[in-house]
Amino acid sequence: MTQTAAPQLDLARVRADFPILHQQVNGYPLAYLDSTASSQKPALVIDALSDYYRRYNANVHRGVYQLSEQATEAMEQARHKIARFINARSPREVIFTRNTTESINLVAHTWGRANLKPGDRILLTEMEHHSNLVPWQIVAEATGATLDFIPVDGAGRLALDDLAALLRPEGTRRTKLVALTHMSNVLGTINPVAQIARAAHAVGALVLVDGAQSVPHFAVDVQDLEIDFLAFSGHKMCGPTGIGVLWGRKKILQAMPPFLGGGSMIQTVELRRSTWNELPHKFEAGTPPIGEAIALGYAVDYLSAIGMEAIHQAEQQLTAYALERLSTIPGLTTYGPSVEERGGVISFNLDGVHAHDVAAVLDRHGVAVRAGHHCCQPLMGILGAPATARASFYLYTTTEEIDQLAAALEKCKAIFG
């Protein structure tokens, strides 16, 4: 990925928007380095959620009174904002779910069960989060389809030299779906999705992208990528928890059976049969997360105003600084490719110290990082590490916080010898 002249991100102004960042933890300034797990929220988004509950809380798509119509209008405006954010052809292609995991499960349990059969293949990668692995294991077992995997090379990239052979194996098996992460939550690797999608379509396979770690951090254009499904979460992109998005191509979504049954997703109901509502409501049974969807729309406004290119380039500069800074610590191993091929995620281990102990010591110095297998147990096996510590960055992260991380790691080394 080539760096070009970037619009500058006004870091001081950005940080002023996030109330939670201005506090101390254990006597140190909070250095929140766990944005891959969940991002912090700007006041704009917090206020939007509060405003919904304070001023126009009502159910949507069913009331003819003013509050309900106001809530409906606000939620549908959010859907339009999200569609523009990912360059969808229509807001009807944007389905609200609870999170990335539910979005992927929706595709697996509707499209998958309707279209997969014995002899069909689902091609995944070895770096998938459990949320883009376990649903396919369940559906493969139910349908008789098989799972295959694009391997990860020693640098933490997908080994794509044999992609054509991986997509078109010998024998009668046929690849029906490629499902992959856009950016690894462990290695930070940004995968060449457009290249893989073109190759997948050449053999007639659909492409699902787990965008949990890409949509919040750089511009994602579903038309440029030529993919068929995109799943992502609101809470990782400055929005609330409990709201996620599934985008899909309209023609494919229309052909899929519904996911959950109940109110709102129906057109007509008789005692023994029903017919389904039009998109997107066919996949939004019951009362949706109204306030959360509205607040996610405000998060999209916020990120768009700053600019996704500015955010991405700021994170790349920060990641380069962090990799250089951490390389000066003896006994510290980092995982993943060079900065040109990755986003703002650095997983690491300190010789002789378990990742959980590292994270506990860092917390004592005000540094919040994740430790464990990061819901990627198969990848941990490939890395030969049962766990890693992980520092992850977002638009509000500073170089001073990276220095605070490095200083705390030096103290951790001193404690454990």
Side-chain angles (χ1 to χ4, degrees), residues 38-42 45 233-241 243 292 295-296 299 303:
S38 192
S39 74
Q40 296 302 344
K41 324 302 178 193
V45 170
S233 291
H235 72 98
K236 296 179 190 291
M237 53 185 290
C238 297
T241 55
I243 181 71
E292 289 78 2
L296 177 57
L303 294 173

Side-chain angles (χ1 to χ4, degrees), residues 215-360:
V215 174
H217 297 279
F218 51 87
V220 174
D221 183 324
V222 294
Q223 295 188 56
D224 275 358
L225 291 175
E226 299 182 32
I227 58 179
D228 301 291
F229 299 105
L230 175 69
F232 56 99
S233 291
H235 72 98
K236 296 179 190 291
M237 53 185 290
C238 297
T241 55
I243 181 71
V245 171
L246 172 68
W247 168 85
R249 292 193 182 276
K250 186 177 178 182
K251 187 175 180 180
I252 301 171
L253 292 174
Q254 286 176 324
M256 287 163 47
F259 182 35
L260 302 174
S264 299
M265 52 74 67
I266 49 82
Q267 194 168 63
T268 62
V269 177
E270 300 171 9
L271 283 178
R272 300 189 184 281
R273 64 180 296 276
S274 301
T275 59
W276 315 134
N277 206 340
E278 60 185 15
L279 293 175
H281 310 298
K282 180 172 77 172
F283 295 108
E284 294 180 351
T287 297
I290 303 165
E292 289 78 2
I294 294 168
L296 177 57
Y298 279 82
V300 166
D301 289 342
Y302 182 78
L303 294 173
S304 300
I306 292 172
M308 297 308 294
E309 183 61 22
I311 293 170
H312 177 54
Q313 295 218 15
E315 289 180 6
Q316 282 205 305
Q317 291 165 6
L318 195 73
T319 304
Y321 179 82
L323 286 169
E324 176 66 25
R325 190 73 178 79
L326 295 181
S327 72
T328 65
I329 300 174
L332 188 139
T333 300
T334 61
Y335 304 89
S338 63
V339 69
E340 293 80 12
E341 300 174 279
R342 68 190 298 163
V345 175
I346 300 177
S347 289
F348 58 89
N349 270 317
L350 204 54
D351 283 353
V353 189
H354 194 279
H356 286 157
D357 292 329
V358 171

Side-chain angles (χ1 to χ4, degrees), residues 34 348 354-360 369-374 386-391:
D34 196 21
F348 58 89
H354 194 279
H356 286 157
D357 292 329
V358 171
V369 301
R370 171 87 180 265
H373 54 62
H374 313 295
T388 70
R390 183 187 70 191

